[in-house]
Amino acid sequence: MDFIALVLGSFTQLLDPVTLLYVVAGFLIGTVFAAIPGLTATLALALLLPLTYTLDISTALMACASIYMAGMCGGSITATTINIPGAPSSMMTALEGYPMQQRGQGALALGHASFASMVGGGIGAILLIVLAPFVAKASLLVQTAGKFSLIAFALIVIVIAQRDRIVKSAMAACLGLMLATIGLDTMLPVARFTFGMEGLTAGIDLMPVIIGTFAISELLIQASSIAEHRRLRQELQRSQTIRRRDFLPPLSAIREIGLWCYLKSSLIGYSVGTLPGAGGSMGSFLAYAEAVRTSKYPERFGKGNPEGIAASESANNAVCGGALVPMLTFGIPGDPITAIVLGVLIINGIQPGPQLMTDQAGLIAPMLASLLFSALVLIPLTLFLIGPYFIRIVSIRKDMLYGAIALLAVVGSYVATYSAYQMGLTLALGILAYFLRHYGYPVVALLLGFILGPNLEEFLRRALALSNGNPLVFITSLDSLFFILLTVFFVYFLAIRKTMQPAAVGESGRIAK
């Protein structure tokens, strides 16, 4: 209770105009960087890291927290307007937001994303403030075998979520896993699958894969339908007058989605965030898959369903609160952004650990207050004030818009890696993703396979090494067994049961005849 009171008292620091300016400026910068493909909030925080040296530690941490929250919600802007997620955590949002944009409901889609981000971010921050010490102890129960089973569970769920393309989705995920094995071995200093190319010794960086599979491939797809884009732009210019109230989702739509969907997705995102290395993308995937599984109308997903946006955005913003738990209590970053925040702490002589919440709580409490303030105030306020400028991106000429995005994407891939070779890989992977999408292979599965591949391999090999090669360790470990049973549960309801129902209906119809 003392720590909660300390956090509540820290809100008074936001009354200082200078502190509030840094928090608001950090949020706006994080939103812009997250919305532009290739320029993630991680890059924004890395570029602004030298600035934190000159600030008071509390102010610096508050600005970092606002950038973090903005980085999660900002990716939904371009995911909705032009089908290019600004961040990996917004990939599932693009599946539902962009179809709504094509129907002329882009403002409403962004409104649903903003509301869900506000709810998820707020719940995640509150849970962080209240439950951080307890959740930190619980996350220690997931050992090496359990982490492998958790990652395998996430991969299998995203594959079977593509109900009509399970085989193609599985092949795309396997391709992502194969790309993840290129470069140095995860446990031994040995280069693998480089085919004699020195540029591949360090492996393929994540940023070229993200930009290539989404930005470059999307540009190629859009370039093949310029006439359709001209017609759509003309229709939108004639029919759409974006007003700020268009961004407000009606109460009836929120009731139809259900408060339980927001709460459940937020809890999934927060729980995933407490696991080091899981990240917002996994939380978003799992919450989206759970929303599909429990929905009364699963056939509506992928066609512009606000429920999918609500699940995805609630989860990935709740991850912010969860990811700070292992970073603050054990010094283990939950994702790249918290790794930079960890650097800010260490530079200023603050050592994360179990005693941080008690010995130096006065320095941490303002950061948590800023996280909650960003979720509950800055997310809806930003969309309400400058939301119309987000949606107007569809009225820009496509050749100019995508030319600028291509330039930013390629430059972003170079800035992220400082490697011309990786920049070339961005273009190559973009062409590969274009053909995959052309023939119906979901690139989301490929990207998830690439992101989770290294950890999947590492935890598999470590678990087998610790058990002297005995594969039964994945069953005898209770945490691993839990995730295996959860996988079976999802496979049954998302794949087996769904395929059995049409057959049963068809057979009953023949009997009636």
Side-chain angles (χ1 to χ4, degrees):
M1 293 300 295
D2 293 338
F3 182 72
I4 296 176
L6 192 59
V7 173
L8 294 177
S10 299
F11 280 97
T12 58
Q13 295 193 24
L14 293 169
L15 299 177
D16 180 10
V18 176
T19 302
L20 182 61
L21 176 63
Y22 278 111
V23 171
V24 174
F27 188 88
L28 293 177
I29 292 173
T31 300
V32 172
F33 269 72
I36 299 176
L39 303 181
T40 62
T42 305
L43 179 59
L45 194 55
L47 294 176
L48 296 175
L49 185 60
L51 180 62
T52 63
Y53 301 159
T54 62
L55 298 177
D56 175 72
I57 178 59
S58 296
T59 304
L61 290 176
M62 293 174 77
C64 289
S66 66
I67 293 175
Y68 190 14
M69 186 62 70
M72 285 297 180
C73 68
S76 64
I77 296 172
T78 46
T80 297
T81 54
I82 54 177
N83 200 28
I84 300 178
S89 58
S90 299
M91 288 185 294
M92 310 312 291
T93 304
L95 295 180
E96 308 296 341
Y98 187 63
M100 292 183 66
Q101 166 72 14
Q102 291 178 311
R103 296 199 301 261
Q105 297 177 318
L108 181 59
L110 288 177
H112 277 290
S114 178
F115 180 77
S117 298
M118 179 184 69
V119 173
I123 291 176
I126 292 173
L127 290 176
L128 169 63
I129 295 169
V130 176
L131 301 176
F134 308 102
V135 177
K137 293 179 181 179
S139 65
L140 288 177
L141 299 177
V142 182
Q143 302 299 321
T144 303
K147 291 178 181 179
F148 166 79
S149 299
L150 171 62
I151 296 174
F153 163 69
L155 277 172
I156 293 172
V157 165
I158 196 59
V159 166
I160 61 178
Q162 305 286 335
R163 297 183 302 278
D164 54 341
R165 298 182 296 173
I166 291 181
V167 175
K168 290 185 176 181
S169 181
M171 294 176 66
C174 289
L175 181 58
L177 291 172
M178 292 169 64
L179 291 175
T181 62
I182 296 175
L184 291 175
D185 188 283
T186 56
M187 299 180 68
L188 299 173
V190 178
R192 308 177 298 179
F193 308 115
T194 59
F195 305 100
M197 302 180 187
E198 293 184 4
L200 291 178
T201 302
I204 301 176
D205 194 80
L206 175 61
M207 196 56 62
V209 178
I210 295 175
I211 297 175
T213 54
F214 281 94
I216 302 300
S217 67
E218 182 67 24
L219 294 175
L220 294 175
I221 289 176
Q222 301 290 352
S224 63
S225 55
I226 289 294
E228 175 64 19
H229 286 153
R230 261 194 218 105
R231 181 190 64 78
L232 179 60
R233 180 165 65 94
Q234 292 171 356
E235 289 181 0
L236 289 170
Q237 286 177 328
R238 288 196 303 265
S239 62
Q240 270 196 315
T241 301
I242 303 301
R243 299 161 297 183
R244 285 183 171 84
R245 63 185 182 187
D246 294 334
F247 291 93
L248 300 176
L251 186 60
S252 58
I254 295 176
R255 286 176 177 172
E256 184 178 355
I257 293 172
L259 294 180
W260 173 239
C261 176
Y262 292 101
L263 178 60
K264 177 175 59 176
S265 301
S266 300
L267 292 176
I268 291 174
Y270 180 81
S271 301
V272 170
T274 60
L275 300 173
S281 55
M282 184 188 295
S284 176
F285 293 143
L286 295 181
Y288 182 86
E290 173 63 14
V292 175
R293 186 189 69 81
T294 58
S295 176
K296 296 179 181 178
Y297 309 101
E299 67 278 359
R300 295 181 182 178
F301 285 81
K303 302 175 183 178
N305 189 349
E307 186 177 352
I309 298 176
S312 173
E313 291 300 309
S314 297
N316 62 32
N317 283 270
V319 165
C320 296
L324 287 173
V325 172
M327 192 277 288
L328 293 174
T329 54
F330 300 105
I332 303 174
D335 56 21
I337 295 184
T338 51
I340 299 177
V341 176
L342 176 63
V344 175
L345 291 174
I346 295 176
I347 288 172
N348 287 274
I350 301 175
Q351 186 62 42
Q355 303 301 320
L356 181 62
M357 293 291 185
T358 55
D359 296 345
Q360 295 176 303
L363 297 176
I364 300 302
M367 179 177 67
L368 306 189
S370 175
L371 193 72
L372 185 58
F373 175 77
S374 299
L376 299 182
V377 178
L378 294 184
I379 289 178
L381 188 62
T382 300
L383 185 70
F384 183 76
L385 293 179
I386 60 179
Y389 299 100
F390 294 153
I391 202 68
R392 284 179 187 174
I393 197 171
V394 298
S395 64
I396 303 175
R397 288 180 52 183
K398 293 298 177 181
D399 51 354
M400 296 177 58
L401 174 63
Y402 285 105
I405 291 177
L407 178 63
L408 288 173
V410 173
V411 171
S413 67
Y414 178 77
V415 171
T417 60
Y418 293 104
S419 170
Y421 191 85
Q422 295 285 345
M423 186 170 64
L425 283 177
T426 302
L427 299 176
L429 290 170
I431 295 173
L432 172 64
Y434 166 75
F435 284 105
L436 289 175
R437 294 176 63 176
H438 180 73
Y439 289 104
Y441 290 84
V443 295
V444 173
L446 181 148
L447 182 58
L448 183 61
F450 181 83
I451 292 174
L452 301 181
N455 286 336
L456 183 75
E457 178 187 3
E458 179 183 356
F459 293 136
L460 171 64
R461 293 170 63 178
R462 283 187 178 181
L464 292 176
L466 292 173
S467 63
N468 295 321
N470 185 5
L472 294 178
V473 66
F474 299 106
I475 299 177
T476 56
S477 299
L478 293 180
D479 53 347
S480 177
L481 181 61
F482 170 77
F483 290 117
I484 290 175
L485 294 176
L486 200 62
T487 303
V488 174
F489 177 79
F490 269 75
V491 168
Y492 173 76
F493 280 98
L494 280 180
I496 300 176
R497 187 178 179 183
K498 294 296 181 183
T499 56
M500 291 173 60
Q501 286 178 343
V505 172
E507 186 174 345
S508 63
R510 287 193 298 271
I511 293 174
K513 291 181 180 179

